[in-house]
Amino acid sequence: MSLEDDLTEVKRRLEELARSVIQLERNLARQREEKPVPMAVGRPDGLVTISDTPYDSSLWTDSDDEGLGARDRRAP
């Protein structure tokens, strides 16, 4: 396949994708008109509450600062 053939194929697929997205948006709009989607109330399942209390500093003993390297060494 030549570069021109590749570009033609990419263009065709992008146009197909655009048509599919437009059709999907139309279907979604039609579904919303038929029956509205109820809004979720309360906290969704699977969420975990994280306490505002500080973490135990011993958890971070001997840890490196991500992206900064070890505390006792200097960056090059």
Side-chain angles (χ1 to χ4, degrees):
M1 254 191 179
S2 70
L3 179 60
E4 187 175 320
D5 291 338
D6 288 344
L7 291 174
T8 302
E9 180 68 15
V10 168
K11 182 179 177 183
R12 185 187 66 78
R13 290 182 183 227
L14 284 173
E15 289 169 352
E16 183 179 316
L17 177 61
R19 283 191 301 272
S20 296
V21 169
I22 290 169
Q23 185 62 40
L24 180 62
E25 288 172 338
R26 287 178 184 159
N27 290 344
L28 184 58
R30 203 172 301 129
Q31 285 179 355
R32 285 183 178 160
E33 289 172 1
E34 292 173 4
K35 49 184 167 179
V37 178
M39 298 299 291
V41 178
R43 188 172 68 186
D45 293 336
L47 289 182
V48 177
T49 302
I50 299 175
S51 174
D52 288 336
T53 58
Y55 288 108
D56 180 7
S57 61
S58 67
L59 292 172
W60 315 120
T61 302
D62 296 329
S63 68
D64 293 344
D65 292 325
E66 186 174 336
L68 299 177
R71 293 183 189 149
D72 59 342
R73 290 181 281 176
R74 298 184 71 187

